[in-house]
Amino acid sequence: MGKFDGVLLATDWDGTFYHDNRLFDENLKALKYFTENGGKFTICSGRYHEFLRTFAKRVYVNTYVSCYNGAHIINLDDNDILYEGFCDDKLFDILDRLFSSDAKYKTITFCTKEYPEPLEYNTADYETAKQALRGKYIYKVLLRAENAADAANGLRIVKQMELGDYIGVRSWEFSMEFLKRENAKGAAVRRIAKKLSSKLVVAVGDYENDIDLILAADIGYAVGNAVDTLKAVADRITVNVTESAIAQIIYDLDRELQ
């Protein structure tokens, strides 16, 4: 029996675990201890699985990872797919409405099952992209604004839109992502926890698309550099990403699980 048996630790990637193209040795040391003593460690990221595969063994991932937020859940050791969720034609209805407004985004990126890497287009080419990708298996769409003013205006417009069973969330200031609500990070960590019969789910993030993840956990952490909206819903606030936040969370658990 290990000290961390039944514990699932889920982290966002960029800004929470990974910063400025850097991993932190203290995190890796703590994760080795955590997983060797029964803990399950996963990543819940907007990134795609081949990107995460390059890091998985090094960072001691030992269960399914959640990619494209929560739309693609896969075990990188054997490629077993726990879950895939896709957008439908309502996605293009949302995008049509957005682009008919005064929202200004520079690029639009489609994340699909058919293509191994995300497909980026200039928003001026949206109609061409729509014709090419309608009917494809789309996990999510990511838009990037060119500056803070355009990003803020886009966020204002999205907040006023009726999205139905979709959500529009940001993973950093200049971004906007659209995906099915059922494919967000919170649903993903619940699916992984159910598969593992986890007794305690601990999650950590830094930005708005992590709010759903934090709320789904038994203990939700915000890193010290997280945005205020995430800190407001977190159970706990830990140190900044650059201060090895994942290690600090593991040290907390180590003290508390007696």
Side-chain angles (χ1 to χ4, degrees):
M1 296 290 290
K3 185 169 190 177
F4 301 110
D5 285 349
V7 179
L8 173 63
L9 173 58
T11 183
D12 169 54
W13 184 255
D14 296 284
T16 303
F17 184 53
Y18 187 71
H19 175 73
D20 198 22
N21 296 316
R22 182 184 172 193
L23 293 168
F24 298 90
D25 290 341
E26 190 67 19
N27 282 339
L28 303 184
K29 177 183 174 182
L31 283 167
K32 184 174 187 292
Y33 170 68
F34 176 75
T35 55
E36 286 180 347
N37 285 275
K40 294 294 185 181
F41 175 61
T42 188
I43 298 164
C44 292
S45 172
R47 300 273 196 168
Y48 62 103
H49 71 281
E50 290 301 336
F51 173 87
L52 295 179
R53 192 188 300 277
T54 62
F55 295 93
K57 289 189 182 299
R58 182 180 173 192
V59 302
Y60 301 99
V61 167
N62 60 351
T63 187
Y64 295 87
V65 299
S66 173
C67 312
Y68 297 131
N69 292 27
H72 186 201
I73 305 175
I74 184 171
N75 188 315
L76 296 176
D77 285 335
D78 59 11
N79 293 319
D80 180 51
I81 295 175
L82 177 63
Y83 175 81
E84 285 186 305
F86 303 103
C87 301
D88 53 27
D89 282 347
K90 292 179 184 177
L91 171 67
F92 291 107
D93 293 338
I94 292 169
L95 294 174
D96 288 347
R97 283 187 281 139
L98 182 66
F99 290 135
S100 66
S101 74
D102 66 349
K104 297 178 182 178
Y105 286 96
K106 184 177 182 180
T107 64
I108 180 169
T109 301
F110 291 86
C111 304
T112 71
K113 183 179 178 69
E114 287 85 355
Y115 300 97
E117 295 187 9
L119 301 174
E120 183 177 289
Y121 296 84
N122 290 324
T123 52
D125 298 322
Y126 164 65
E127 290 296 332
T128 299
K130 180 170 69 171
Q131 293 306 313
L133 294 170
R134 187 182 291 276
K136 302 296 185 185
Y137 291 100
I138 300 171
Y139 296 114
K140 72 170 185 177
V141 164
L142 169 69
L143 295 103
R144 293 180 177 87
E146 190 168 15
N147 54 59
D150 287 347
N153 185 51
L155 177 62
R156 176 187 61 80
I157 292 169
V158 171
K159 285 184 173 181
Q160 295 174 347
M161 293 175 65
E162 173 55 54
L163 300 179
D165 55 353
Y166 280 76
I167 56 172
V169 293
R170 299 191 301 174
S171 53
W172 80 95
E173 183 184 4
F174 288 9
S175 72
M176 179 59 65
E177 300 175 330
F178 292 104
L179 69 159
K180 282 283 191 76
R181 187 177 304 276
E182 64 191 22
N183 300 330
K185 290 186 179 186
V189 78
R190 286 191 292 268
R191 289 182 172 108
I192 297 171
K194 182 178 179 180
K195 177 69 174 180
L196 299 176
S197 299
S198 300
K199 298 176 182 177
L200 178 67
V201 178
V202 181
V204 55
D206 77 305
Y207 217 83
E208 293 165 8
N209 66 333
D210 299 319
I211 290 175
D212 192 61
L213 173 66
I214 298 305
L215 292 175
D218 297 304
I219 305 174
Y221 278 87
V223 290
N225 53 285
V227 294
D228 289 342
T229 49
L230 183 68
K231 289 179 177 178
V233 301
D235 300 301
R236 301 176 181 180
I237 299 173
T238 188
V239 299
N240 287 6
V241 58
T242 54
E243 299 174 274
S244 302
I246 303 305
Q248 294 302 317
I249 291 169
I250 292 171
Y251 299 153
D252 287 348
L253 293 172
D254 197 30
R255 288 190 298 269
E256 294 167 9
L257 296 175
Q258 299 297 333

